[in-house]
Amino acid sequence: MANVIEKLIEEIKLVVNESLKKACSSGELPEVLVPEILIEIPREKEHGEFSTNVAMQITKQAKKAPRQTAEIIIKNMNLENTYIEKVECAGPGFINFYLNLKWLYETIKVIQAEREDYGKINLGNGAKVMVEFVSANPTGPLHMGNARGGALGDCIANVLKAAGYDVTKEFYINDAGNQIEKFGKSLEARYIQLLLGEDAVPFPEDGYQGEDIKDHMRDYISINGDKLLNTESSDRQKILVEYALPINLQRIRTALKNYGIEFDVWFSEQSLYDSGELEETLKFIKENGYTVENEGAVWFKASQFGAEKDEVIIRNNGLPTYFASDIAYHRNKFLKRKFDRVINLLGADHHGHVARMKAAVSSMGIDSDKLDVVLFQLVRLFKDGEAYRMSKRTGRAVSLNDLLEELGKDGERNDEEAIIYGKDAARFFFNMKASGSHLDFDMSLAVQKSNENPVFYVQYAHARICTIITQAKEKEGVEIPDVNSVDLTKLDKKEELDLIKALAQFPEEVRISAKTLEPSRLTRYVLDVAGYLHSFYHACHIRGEEENIMKARLLLIDSTRTVIRNVLSILSISAPERMD
RNA sequence: GCGCCUGUAGCUCAGUGGAUAGAGCAACCGCCUUCUAAGCGGUUGGCCGCACGUUCGAGUCGUGCCAGGCGCGCCA
């Protein structure tokens, strides 16, 4: 788990620190309180590999112009046995560090040694973290919000894994409460209407209108007939829910699997009722005086814990709200299952839930900073430039299955290829943009103009590497050599060095993505790497070159292949070996 | 009315308080007898919504406006 860049930054920090000490003790600089030395990677390549602003930060203390301070710091540096080749003062007082190429060759060696582990870091130190995402209402199919939240949540979990956390992916099944009741009433109404005619009973005003409800009941009737007609209504609803809910859940599972997502835990809301945890939780909150009764309902005093207003936890009909079971659920996450950190993904339209959930967590004596809520903006689907909302078939919003099907369809693909393609394209698109940005997804662009699709750009780079490696072996008899038997200094062209620099950046990208919970950063990174690979491909040949060059370049593209694979594996996007 | 999110090139978006603000698409000009042209190279294109403030330094932080999205006691 070597992070070459991190090591270099440490080395430079040390050099700067030593130099400051020396300058202070010799009286060239007054005694200064050195702030945390910040080493950054300049945007402009002419400014070196790394730079620091320390001279400007201590301007006041040093009582000198920043450039003058910078010169003093540079003069006192000891660069022996470091990767630093040259140090310059530039601009308003930056100190720029130029490295010798050794660190790039070191990077190739690290990648060759670590293979599929390259990019893994130990930021998390094995801390137990749960990522709860999708958690779709099981009364119907997955929609676009679930699709974005799913791609995002799954990748956040994967990034955290790569960053050294012990990650659990969890789906919270809302199989209790109001919407299940609504589900039961909708099923019941369709059941009766199908058997006795449309006018036999009115359909509930707020019921689920979708065609899938009718389909469930057609199937049910074809198996079980009309025997529930004389059953008492509440029992009938219960039986119908018990029939349809597992089918819906199974469909959700399958859809998610096709989408590349497999959860470690499927956690039932109903189980919180059954185990008594909900009751225990409510008792705890009440006994600590965190509730108040008003208008026949019981309220949680969320305002006492920083939220804007109080929230109902038990309605005046005596039934707990969703919020009540969510409190019990979080008690379970933190106190029963002892997660160090919990990350919930929520559509931005649920942002009102954040403050009250944090308040509830605080009320149970848990540090609310341990709960992160990632809000993602909703998705607007477009097709041929027009908003595309409803699926005609189901009368519902476009489902994840519809999307994958739509993206994957192409006369030449078989069903299996279509699903994989749809998954790759959808996941790539959903993870190209930061979670907070609104996302317009134009399906016609992802399907018709597939040659402009960025997912191809990356996969093509990977396939290109695979082809070259295969042909080098078959036609030249040269295999990827052992890294220690090759003269890596043969890699000295601009395109080669740029490519290696990009590869060196990978562990750093993982660290930042994990810290900011933004896997979109990795999507853009892998696009970058692919770009450098394509540029290299056009500037440098492999087959037909002199043997030492051929071997060094084979190692370079093999290392590139490793990085592309590792990133795509975090994103759960396939890395095909050929595209034709 | 209050709260959360967003505002950067024609479009879609990057941009961890740093130096001359970037990419893709679109437009235009080049490159296939050479390992995949699903590719490469180049040109054009910016009051970073507006105004103050903090700072050696602001697209980035703070305050106030403006515009869009979302939410606001017994839905989830």
Side-chain angles (χ1 to χ4, degrees):
Chain A
M1 299 218 275
N3 182 342
V4 176
I5 291 200
E6 202 172 64
K7 266 163 55 187
L8 290 167
I9 287 175
E10 287 311 312
E11 179 179 286
I12 293 170
K13 272 188 193 171
L14 194 70
V15 166
V16 174
N17 256 321
E18 294 292 318
S19 160
L20 277 167
K21 264 191 224 160
K22 207 170 141 198
C24 291
S25 64
S26 73
E28 286 172 90
L29 285 176
E31 283 298 326
V32 291
L33 207 68
V34 183
E36 163 94 48
I37 292 173
L38 218 72
I39 307 295
E40 49 194 18
I41 299 171
R43 220 173 354 216
E44 301 291 326
K45 281 182 180 149
E46 304 85 71
H47 296 145
E49 272 80 27
F50 296 96
S51 77
T52 180
N53 60 350
V54 69
M56 291 180 287
Q57 282 183 304
I58 60 171
T59 297
K60 279 185 180 165
Q61 294 184 66
K63 302 194 176 81
K64 283 189 202 318
R67 283 194 68 111
Q68 210 181 340
T69 311
E71 293 294 355
I72 294 172
I73 296 170
I74 293 171
K75 207 185 85 194
N76 282 284
M77 283 181 185
N78 178 6
L79 303 181
E80 264 173 58
N81 297 320
T82 68
Y83 285 92
I84 305 165
E85 185 165 276
K86 185 175 74 172
V87 188
E88 275 179 2
C89 169
F94 289 101
I95 301 173
N96 294 338
F97 297 86
Y98 300 79
L99 308 186
N100 61 43
L101 296 178
K102 253 174 27 196
W103 74 285
L104 295 176
Y105 306 137
E106 195 59 37
T107 297
I108 300 276
K109 287 183 189 167
V110 168
I111 298 172
Q112 288 296 319
E114 297 189 346
R115 311 300 315 180
E116 66 274 12
D117 286 334
Y118 179 65
K120 288 187 184 162
I121 57 171
N122 191 19
L123 181 69
N125 221 351
K128 264 187 80 169
V129 49
M130 174 198 291
V131 183
E132 184 222 316
F133 59 109
V134 184
S135 298
N137 194 332
T139 55
L142 297 167
H143 53 72
M144 278 310 104
N146 302 136
R148 187 177 189 185
L152 181 63
D154 195 46
C155 291
I156 287 176
N158 292 347
V159 169
L160 291 175
K161 238 180 239 182
Y165 288 87
D166 174 10
V167 179
T168 300
K169 297 181 189 176
E170 184 151 315
F171 186 112
Y172 185 47
I173 309 168
N174 299 132
D175 55 358
N178 224 22
Q179 78 282 2
I180 290 296
E181 209 156 296
K182 218 159 82 178
F183 186 47
K185 284 183 178 148
S186 307
L187 289 167
E188 179 186 41
R190 292 303 186 210
Y191 178 77
I192 296 171
Q193 287 176 341
L194 280 167
L195 290 169
L196 304 178
E198 286 282 317
D199 302 327
V201 283
F203 191 74
E205 210 166 293
D206 59 347
Y208 293 111
Q209 296 286 347
E211 195 65 25
D212 53 314
I213 303 286
K214 285 186 197 166
D215 288 342
H216 274 309
M217 290 302 90
R218 279 193 199 101
D219 293 347
Y220 183 84
I221 290 166
S222 76
I223 302 165
N224 299 296
D226 62 0
K227 65 182 181 187
L228 290 182
L229 276 179
N230 296 319
T231 308
E232 205 241 318
S233 178
S234 67
D235 287 342
R236 183 161 57 204
Q237 286 174 24
K238 193 164 171 256
I239 292 169
L240 293 176
V241 167
E242 277 169 8
Y243 164 78
L245 196 65
I247 295 175
N248 275 356
L249 275 172
Q250 192 47 49
R251 286 177 186 166
I252 287 173
R253 250 177 233 257
T254 306
L256 288 170
K257 198 174 173 196
N258 288 339
Y259 195 43
I261 300 176
E262 294 195 53
F263 286 94
D264 300 308
V265 178
W266 293 74
F267 193 96
S268 150
E269 180 183 0
Q270 183 62 44
S271 75
L272 293 165
Y273 286 77
D274 299 342
S275 68
E277 281 183 65
L278 175 61
E279 209 174 324
E280 280 171 40
T281 306
L282 293 176
K283 197 174 150 210
F284 173 87
I285 294 176
K286 275 186 198 166
E287 284 179 355
N288 281 279
Y290 300 148
T291 58
V292 61
E293 283 196 37
N294 192 15
E295 298 171 33
V298 179
W299 300 64
F300 167 63
K301 292 198 254 179
S303 56
Q304 199 173 313
F305 297 93
E308 264 194 75
K309 50 189 172 50
D310 297 342
E311 300 289 339
V312 172
I313 49 174
I314 298 176
R315 297 183 289 225
N316 61 13
N317 64 7
L319 295 174
T321 59
Y322 170 82
F323 182 48
S325 48
D326 216 13
I327 298 175
Y329 181 36
H330 282 79
R331 179 169 171 270
N332 175 286
K333 290 180 181 180
F334 283 110
L335 301 181
K336 289 253 157 150
R337 286 191 280 165
K338 308 231 183 299
F339 279 95
D340 299 309
R341 195 175 168 200
V342 166
I343 297 169
N344 295 346
L345 277 94
L346 235 44
D349 54 339
H350 289 70
H351 71 253
H353 197 54
V354 179
R356 60 172 177 258
M357 204 59 243
K358 287 207 168 222
V361 166
S362 296
S363 79
M364 293 185 285
I366 301 157
D367 178 1
S368 67
D369 285 342
K370 290 184 172 180
L371 174 67
D372 273 306
V373 181
V374 176
L375 294 171
F376 55 92
Q377 295 294 326
L378 299 184
V379 180
R380 289 190 304 175
L381 265 189
F382 284 81
K383 194 176 180 182
D384 304 323
E386 280 181 28
Y388 186 83
R389 285 181 191 286
M390 301 303 261
S391 153
K392 290 203 181 79
R393 192 169 49 80
T394 61
R396 287 213 190 223
V398 179
S399 74
L400 175 59
N401 281 331
D402 296 338
L403 177 73
L404 296 186
E405 210 173 281
E406 188 75 27
L407 292 178
K409 75 180 177 195
D410 169 340
E412 306 194 348
R413 292 195 190 100
N414 63 38
D415 291 353
E416 198 183 335
E417 288 166 343
I419 286 173
I420 290 172
Y421 174 68
K423 178 206 78 168
D424 287 347
R427 292 189 63 131
F428 201 92
F429 269 90
F430 282 132
N431 270 310
M432 270 211 299
K433 293 173 189 177
S435 50
S437 73
H438 298 264
L439 196 150
D440 292 340
F441 194 120
D442 193 328
M443 294 199 292
S444 40
L445 197 129
V447 184
Q448 292 170 358
K449 302 185 190 170
S450 54
N451 55 331
E452 286 160 18
N453 191 327
V455 66
F456 281 121
Y457 188 78
V458 174
Q459 293 184 325
Y460 186 49
H462 182 266
R464 203 165 226 184
I465 294 170
C466 292
T467 306
I468 298 171
I469 289 174
T470 308
Q471 294 201 0
K473 183 179 170 185
E474 285 173 1
K475 298 188 177 164
E476 310 275 338
V478 181
E479 296 206 41
I480 300 163
D482 180 87
V483 71
N484 293 311
S485 71
V486 170
D487 178 13
L488 290 171
T489 64
K490 295 286 178 198
L491 301 172
D492 59 359
K493 290 185 77 167
K494 182 183 176 297
E495 288 79 4
E496 296 171 320
L497 300 176
D498 284 348
L499 179 56
I500 308 175
K501 272 183 205 174
L503 302 183
Q505 190 63 25
F506 182 35
E508 215 24 38
E509 294 293 326
V510 171
R511 191 183 65 79
I512 298 171
S513 291
K515 257 196 139 145
T516 56
L517 304 178
E518 269 303 350
S520 61
R521 195 182 168 97
L522 290 177
T523 311
R524 277 179 251 113
Y525 168 69
V526 78
L527 275 166
D528 257 12
V529 172
Y532 285 116
L533 184 276
H534 289 309
S535 298
F536 161 81
Y537 173 87
H538 284 271
C540 307
H541 254 252
I542 292 181
R543 277 180 52 203
E545 292 287 331
E546 187 256 316
E547 188 173 342
N548 285 323
I549 292 179
M550 193 168 15
K551 283 183 169 173
R553 287 182 179 166
L554 274 174
L555 275 174
L556 172 57
I557 62 167
D558 181 56
S559 302
T560 307
R561 177 167 67 169
T562 297
V563 170
I564 292 177
R565 272 186 189 162
N566 292 358
V567 182
L568 291 183
S569 135
I570 288 174
L571 300 173
S572 285
I573 291 169
S574 54
E577 303 215 340
R578 44 185 308 130
M579 295 178 77
D580 39 24

